[in-house]
Amino acid sequence: MLSFRQTLRYAPPLVLIAFMLAARAYAPSTPATNLPVVAPTVAGSQGAVADIAAVYAAPAFEVAMTKDIVYAQALSHETWGSESTEAMDLLLDVYEPVRFDDAVMPAIVMIHGGGFNGGSKRTGWISEWAPWFAARGWVVYSIDYRVSGDYGTLPSSYPELPAELIDAQIDQAHALYPACRDAKAAIRWINATADDYSVSTDHIAVIGGSAGSVLAVGLGVIDQDDCTDEISLDDDPSLSTTNLDQSSEVATVIDHWGGTSILTVLELMDGIERFDATDAPVSIVHGTEDPAVPFSEAETIQAAYNETGVAYEWHPLEGRGHGAWGATVDGQTLFESAYDFIIETQALNVDEPGAPPG
C-alpha cells in the first residue's frame, strides 16, 4: 500500500487524489466481480409512497428549463490561502415537468465532472439526462461548483500536501473541499425552495460523473456538518448565504466512475470514519479498466457498503474505461438503470406509458 505522500506523488492527473485511506479500512475480501448485487431496500416501506406524484416509464411532460439561478455565494481567492478574496455567485439550472396540478415531485441533482479543474452544468451527458428525467416527472437540478481556478477557502486543518507535487496535483487536491462545500449548499437551497418547485425533500437523488460522482458519493455519506463547519462565518461570511438551517441529506446516489477522495480528506482532517448505516443507497457504475479513477475506488465503496449493510447495486463495466456513458448494464442503458434504482430505493409510484399525469 502506498503512503499518503506516495499516492499523491504518483497519481494520474484525473485520479482525483484518491488517497486510499478508506481502502485500507474496507479492502474487499473476495474479488469484487464475484460478489452479488445487493437488492435495494427502503427501511419501513411496504410498496409505493402515497404522498408524492408518480413518475412515468415514458415521457409524459414537456420540460421547462430555467438557467443560471443563484443558489449561494462563495469566496474566491487570488491564489490558495491569499487574503484577497471576492464573492462569486454559485449557479444552477432547473429542468421542470410542465404540470397543471399541485403535485409534489421527486428531485434529482446532477453534478458534472471535469477533474475539479473545469466542467459545466450543461456538459454533454447532463444535456441528455436532465430532460430525460424531467419529462418523466422529476424536477432536475444541474449545479456548478467552485473548481481549482476559483481558489476556494480551505480550512486550517486541511491535510498538508507534499512539497514535490506539481501544481496541477496541488490544485486538484485543494479543490475537493470547496467543491463539496458548494454541493452541500446546493442541496440546502433545494430544501429551502422546495415549495417553489413542488419538490419532496425526502426524495432527492444525486447523479454524478467522475468528479461529480466524488461529490455525489460524498453527499450520500458525509455528515450534516461536514464541508460546512470547518470554516467559521468570520473567516468566510459567504457561508451565511447557504441556508444553514436546512438539511443537506439525499436519499439515493448514482455513482458513475467516482471515488472516495473527499471522504478521505475529511478523515485525514479529524480521524473520523464517514461510512456508516445512515448512508444513502448507492448504485456503483465503474469501468474495470478506468485509467483515470482506478476501479479500486469502486471496490472501496462497495466494501464499505457491505460493511455497513446499506443497500447498493454493483455494476462493474468489464473492459471499459473512464466516462463510459454509452455502456449498458444487464441489458439496460445507464439512464434506465439509474431510473430503476431511484424508484426502488425511494419506493416511488410509476404510471405506465399513456397514463394521464396527475
Side-chain angles (χ1 to χ4, degrees):
M1 179 65 66
L2 295 177
S3 69
F4 174 49
R5 177 181 294 270
Q6 289 171 323
T7 300
L8 286 171
R9 177 66 181 86
Y10 295 108
L14 200 59
V15 130
L16 313 179
I17 314 302
F19 303 126
M20 304 301 184
L21 182 111
R24 289 200 290 271
Y26 294 107
S29 57
T30 58
T33 51
N34 292 336
L35 293 174
V37 171
V38 176
T41 58
V42 180
S45 67
Q46 301 293 330
V49 179
D51 60 349
I52 188 171
V55 295
Y56 288 79
F61 304 97
E62 293 183 5
V63 176
M65 178 185 180
T66 306
K67 299 179 180 179
D68 296 332
I69 298 171
V70 177
Y71 68 84
Q73 289 191 317
L75 291 186
S76 175
H77 296 245
E78 286 188 359
T79 59
W80 296 113
S82 68
E83 293 186 4
S84 177
T85 64
E86 63 179 2
M88 60 180 287
D89 289 338
L90 300 174
L91 304 176
L92 58 77
D93 296 337
V94 184
Y95 301 76
E96 297 177 80
V98 179
R99 302 184 65 112
F100 299 98
D101 56 26
D102 296 324
V104 177
M105 295 171 282
I108 294 176
V109 180
M110 297 188 177
I111 311 180
H112 69 80
F116 296 103
N117 295 316
S120 166
K121 57 186 165 60
R122 292 179 206 144
T123 195
W125 71 270
I126 291 176
S127 67
E128 297 181 64
W129 284 58
W132 193 94
F133 277 95
R136 288 161 173 78
W138 278 269
V139 178
V140 180
Y141 304 85
S142 178
I143 70 168
D144 276 338
Y145 51 89
R146 282 173 294 177
V147 294
S148 59
D150 296 315
Y151 301 110
T153 307
L154 297 176
S156 59
S157 57
Y158 207 71
E160 184 177 353
L161 304 178
E164 68 267 24
L165 291 186
I166 63 173
D167 289 346
Q169 291 172 315
I170 293 171
D171 288 344
Q172 192 178 60
H174 282 164
L176 282 163
Y177 180 89
C180 177
R181 192 171 168 98
D182 297 346
K184 292 195 71 175
I187 303 298
R188 293 196 297 267
W189 181 89
I190 290 168
N191 276 270
T193 61
D195 290 345
D196 297 336
Y197 294 94
S198 297
V199 160
S200 169
T201 58
D202 293 326
H203 297 85
I204 300 175
V206 187
I207 301 176
S210 191
S213 275
V214 171
L215 297 176
V217 170
L219 287 170
V221 171
I222 62 180
D223 299 328
Q224 179 75 14
D225 295 337
D226 288 337
C227 295
T228 302
D229 285 359
E230 296 87 354
I231 303 173
S232 71
L233 279 166
D234 289 337
D235 291 330
D236 183 358
S238 70
L239 189 59
S240 65
T241 71
T242 66
N243 297 288
L244 292 173
D245 60 333
Q246 299 293 323
S247 171
S248 58
E249 291 186 5
V250 300
T252 307
V253 174
I254 309 296
D255 163 29
H256 297 111
W257 37 93
T260 60
S261 302
I262 188 59
L263 306 180
T264 306
V265 164
L266 292 169
E267 186 170 347
L268 287 168
M269 288 169 61
D270 61 17
I272 299 172
E273 192 174 274
R274 289 324 195 264
F275 289 107
D276 61 36
T278 68
D279 298 341
V282 62
S283 174
I284 307 165
V285 183
H286 208 121
T288 61
E289 302 300 324
D290 192 333
V293 181
F295 184 65
S296 60
E297 283 288 280
E299 293 176 310
T300 295
I301 298 168
Q302 184 205 34
Y305 271 71
N306 277 335
E307 181 77 14
T308 62
V310 178
Y312 73 91
E313 282 189 349
W314 175 245
H315 299 297
L317 304 179
E318 294 295 335
R320 300 300 292 263
H322 196 68
W325 292 107
T328 58
V329 292
D330 300 326
Q332 292 184 307
T333 65
L334 299 189
F335 292 82
E336 295 164 338
S337 177
Y339 172 95
D340 284 351
F341 188 74
I342 294 169
I343 287 169
E344 290 192 63
T345 54
Q346 298 185 18
L348 297 176
N349 294 285
V350 180
D351 276 345
E352 295 301 318

